[in-house]
Every structure is written in structure tokens, then in C-alpha cells.
Amino acid sequence: MINFKEDENLSVLNHSCAHLMAQAVKHLYPQAKFWVGPVVEEGFYYDMDLGDVTLTDEDLPKIEKEMKKCAKADKLIVRHEVTKEEAQEMFKDDPYKEDLISRMEPGQTITTYTQGDYTDLCRGPHVKSTKQCRYFKLLKHSGAYWKGDKNNKVLQRVYGVCFPSEEELDDYLKQLEEMKERDHRKLGKDMQMFMFSDTVGAGLPMWLPNGFTVRRLLSDYIMDKELEQGYIHVKTPSVASTKLYKISGHLAHYKNDMFPVMERDGEDFVLRPMNCPEHMIIYKSTLHSYRDLPVRIAEVADDFRFEASGALTGVERARAFTQNDSHIFCRPDQIASEIKDVTKLILDVYKDFDFKDYSFRLSLRDKNNTDKYFGNDELWEKSEAELREVLKEMGVPYYEAEGEAAFYGPKIDVQVRSVLGHDVTLSTIQLDYQLPERFELEYVDKDGQKKRPVVIHRAILGSLDRFIAFLLEETKGNLPLWLAPTQAVIIPVGPDNDAHLAYAKKVADLLHQHHIRAKVDSRNEKLGYRVREAQMSKTPVELVVGDGEAADNSVTVRRYGSKDAVKMGLDEFLNSMMQEINAKTINRGMEEK
């Protein structure tokens, strides 16, 4: 998708269109007062106070109609320089503009832009005339606190986009429709994967049977891969004493992202935001020799973070989630090989799922704001250099980002772009010298001396929740056969025909015996309706059975996204299913026809 903020021409055009929208709003709602109308990655918005009027979806076409009139008038957009005093006089009836002006320096050059009967306070630049803003679309509206402060009044925010031509606008709107169809929140609801409830709480997903099946399969998939690489799996509690998080530093450096402390029987507890402190305690419970290292402790763990309500995005970003987490305790001389192995595992997993559009980010601390990190400069520089060197040795393309490190160490993040345009971390590798010091971890070296191990934090699938969100959007809900909640639906031609139904149940029983997830659609509906329903539910395989199939022990097979149906012997079909499931084949590009 286009980043309107980074495209200079689109940025100027969209900012001008925000003024066009404000002009139209002022015509329709003379009482309107305006705060700010910036360009953002997705287009533009303007925050406004309409008094007692609350906008609805039906109001957007009315505003668009008035905007078209303003654009057609082809008024020149004229820049004027004014003094602070003149600006205060011009906008004395608008408290929001007055607030902006009051924070400007005396003597500072202030500019306004006028188009016909409308003047706005703005730095600019703008296009030459309103006619250049005629290809636009208002997309949505919402509430927004003035200055982003929840203690302030809620203003009304209207979003839109503008393009130089009607063709470009139409193409973009088609892309938006495609994004809506791929949005994991819509797909999750349509496929009955997960749900949210205000009664349960914002950001707390409940996984339904279909979604739980996918989570279980992903969990088994990644744990099997970890077992092959020598990981040991553990299970630790989701709540712990604050003593643990004081040692780890989370209470000092991460408290604002954690749920509040709970006091019981004179002891304070907190829901864990991550699993590293518990794994440190597990490692410390045993005396380790240098020969024992690396020790790779892994867990599929439930974690809790109090994300801001405005940041919640389905299961991509929630307050309760499950991490595919691990901590590798190793000697300093093992760092490079362990990080390389983890990187190879990430690439192996992405190959299994056919993920191609991702990038590696070396996340460093913000050197201008070191207070939010702990540890000394020497260790930070050492660990950052080690991660950088490993990436170079492996020939992995990467970019660097200051301020994105964890508070205890730098990391390698694998970034993907969600269908909503969010830049999200899917996998991560973090190098940590700090927590071993804080927990006083040790191993006995070959010289008999006690030494500090180094910890590598890593998450391959990241959180299962976010991974599923990205997978749904990548596949448009067309999950591979091995991962689909229902792998096959058996459709008897005549649901009220005893012979057809009996044979359908026989096929289902055979599939169940081989652990294939199948169900019979015996609803008293027409055959075509049930076939379409199976396609709409994105079930990978549809089996139609009638007199012919029952007579020769066969099934008529139709794959999701295909109009072709093939008749196969039941044993042949079963073997082909088992081979595809065991191979974990990824079928990509299968879209609804």
C-alpha cells in the first residue's frame, strides 16, 4: 500500500484535501471549530469540534458532496504571512487554533492559507487550487481526544484519501476492499476462529474450537522442530511474585505495560508480561558445567500486557497472548553459532509457510535516552556488535533501528507488514548479558572457575496469536490442508436419502480413524447451496457422495478455489490426503472464484 506521508506529491495533495474537507464542513456546520488536519501514512484526517452534532456514516456522503462543489469552484489557495497578534485576532473565535498560536514564539512567521471563503492556519505547502483536490474519498470517522489526552474533550475525526486522477483513486479503493477481505478480524469472525466480548474485557480474545485447533497444531509443529534441535520444554505459571520482576528489572523498566499489582496475604503478585524471569530461575536451580551448555529452555506460554486501548488490533495486538518463547543459556564462544542456528530455524519456518515479504531489523538502544535501559555502555556496544557481525557473516540483508531494543539488550527482529499497514514483529532474537548478572547465573568452566552464561531470548512464531493473524491475512483464510480446522466436508447428494447419508458417515468414520478432521453436511438444503457453503467456509476439500460413489466405494473430490471435480477411489483419496497432510504442503494462490 502507498505511504501518503512519505510520497511528497501525495502528501501535499492530501494535506490540501484536508483543508478542502474543513471548508465543506464549515459550510455544512457553521459552528465547527478545527484542531489539526495532518497527512498520515493512510491519507489524511482532520479533528473537529461540531458542538452538539455527532457524525454518522450517512453524513460522510453529504460532506463529500459539498467538497465536490468546493473543488469545482476552482478557487486559488493563497498563502499569507501574518504576525502572532494578527493570527490571534483572525482565530479569536476558535479555541483550538488559539491554543496552537499561543505556543508559537513571538516574532515567528505564521502562515495562513485562504481558498474562497475559508481561511486556515497552516505551515503548508499546498497545491495551487481546490480543483486539484477533486479526486478524493472520505473513508471513516471516529472520536479522538483533543491532544490525545483522555482527560480532554472528544473531537470528531474524519479520514480520507486524495489522488491526482480518478483512475489512481479507483485502484486504491479496490486495494482497500481487498485489505478488508484479508483483515484477520473479519476472517477470524467469518471462520469462527476467535471472538471478543466487552463482558470479558477489551483485548482479551477467546479462541473458539476452530481457532483452538489451529493454535494446537501450530504449537505441536514448532515444539517438534525445537525438540529436533535439542530444546527442553517447560511450563511456568502466568502469575508470580513482584520479587521476581524486581530482580529482572521489569517493575522498574516495564511497569507501565504490565497489569496492576495484586496483593494477597501480605505478598504482591503480578501477571507476567514475558517468561524470561521464570526461565532464569529454572536454569539457576541446577548446577551447570561448561559441557552442559548450551541449555535451551522453551515454553509455549500465556503472557499478559496492558496495551493501550487505541493500540488493540484483534489478535495481532491483544492484552492476553501466547508466546512461542525460548531462552538459550550459552558460553560467550557459543553466541555466534546459536544465533545462526536460531536464524536458520526462523528461515526454515518461513519457508514452510511460504512467507517471502519480510525484513530483518537490528534493533538498538536509543543512545540519547539511555535511562530506559539498564547495563553499562561497554556491554551494550559489545552485544550490538556481536549481533551485527552474525548478520553480516550469514549474508542476511538487514537495517538498523535505534530505540527498538529491549530494555536489557539489543535484538534481531523479523518485521512483516500486516494487511492494515502495521509494521509488526513476527520473530525475534535478543542477546542479553544483563539478566544473567541480575539473577547471578553461573556455570563451572573447564578451569573450575564459576562464570556467567549469556542468554539468547528467541521467539520463532512470536506470539501464536499474531502469527495466526498474519497467516490468515497472507492466505486470505485459505489455510493449508494440514492446518485447516475442518479438512474435509462430506456432502451427501440427498441428505434425506438413507443410503447417501449412511455412506457419507462411513467416509467420515474412515477419515476420523486416520485423524483427518471431517464432518458431514446433512442439512436439508439443496446440493448447490451446501457446496457453496463449503466454499464460503474455506474448507480445503469437499466430497460429494451419492448412488454412484456408494456403489463403487469412491468420492467426488473438489478442492477449495477450484470449479473442477474429480472422482477418486476412497483408498486413493485417503492416501493422497495423508501424503499432503504429512508433508505439510502449502497451497498458495488459491482464491475464491
Side-chain angles (χ1 to χ4, degrees), residues 67 81 174 190 197 211 220 234 286 293 368 450 469 518 546 569 571:
M67 288 174 68
E81 292 186 3
K174 288 176 184 177
D190 292 346
S197 166
D220 291 345
V234 298
T286 304
L293 273 54
N368 296 317
K450 291 183 177 180
D571 290 340

Side-chain angles (χ1 to χ4, degrees), residues 222-223 226 231-234 272-279 296-303 305 322-328 408 428 430 456-464:
I222 195 61
M223 284 199 292
E226 288 168 342
Y231 286 80
I232 53 175
H233 291 100
V234 298
R272 68 175 174 194
M274 51 194 68
N275 323 295
C276 30
E278 289 85 349
H279 290 187
R296 305 182 185 100
I297 298 176
E299 181 174 6
V300 176
D302 296 331
D303 293 327
R305 298 177 188 173
T322 302
Q323 282 200 85
N324 155 228
D325 205 8
S326 174
H327 298 90
I328 301 170
Y408 47 78
T428 188
Q430 304 171 7
I456 297 169
H457 307 240
R458 51 108 289 202
I460 306 301
L461 301 185
S463 84
L464 296 184

Side-chain angles (χ1 to χ4, degrees), residues 253-268:
H253 294 268
Y254 205 76
K255 187 176 182 179
N256 291 338
D257 295 300
M258 297 169 66
F259 276 79
V261 172
M262 302 172 284
E263 189 276 326
R264 286 292 184 273
D265 293 335
E267 188 171 4
D268 291 338

Side-chain angles (χ1 to χ4, degrees), residues 298-314:
E299 181 174 6
V300 176
D302 296 331
D303 293 327
F304 305 86
R305 298 177 188 173
F306 198 79
E307 301 281 2
S309 58
L312 298 175
T313 312

Side-chain angles (χ1 to χ4, degrees), residues 432-445:
D432 179 11
Y433 285 91
Q434 316 290 350
L435 291 185
E437 288 288 341
R438 296 178 73 93
F439 282 93
E440 299 180 345
L441 304 184
E442 296 176 337
Y443 68 92
V444 180
D445 207 355

Side-chain angles (χ1 to χ4, degrees), residues 354-359 415-417 470 474:
D354 200 28
F355 292 166
K356 295 175 180 175
D357 191 11
Y358 56 86
S359 57
Q415 299 300 113
V416 297
R417 195 79 166 171
F470 184 67
E474 280 286 283

Side-chain angles (χ1 to χ4, degrees), residues 428-498:
T428 188
I429 310 169
Q430 304 171 7
L431 183 57
D432 179 11
Y433 285 91
Q434 316 290 350
L435 291 185
E437 288 288 341
R438 296 178 73 93
F439 282 93
E440 299 180 345
L441 304 184
E442 296 176 337
Y443 68 92
V444 180
D445 207 355
K446 56 186 175 182
D447 58 6
Q449 298 296 311
K450 291 183 177 180
K451 302 286 181 63
R452 288 272 186 263
V454 181
V455 173
I456 297 169
H457 307 240
R458 51 108 289 202
I460 306 301
L461 301 185
S463 84
L464 296 184
D465 314 68
R466 179 175 291 178
F467 191 88
I468 290 171
F470 184 67
L471 184 62
L472 287 175
E473 293 177 354
E474 280 286 283
T475 62
K476 204 175 180 180
N478 175 28
L479 296 174
L481 180 63
W482 71 272
L483 198 53
T486 299
Q487 294 169 310
V489 59
I490 303 132
I491 307 174
V493 173
D496 56 350
N497 183 304
D498 290 342

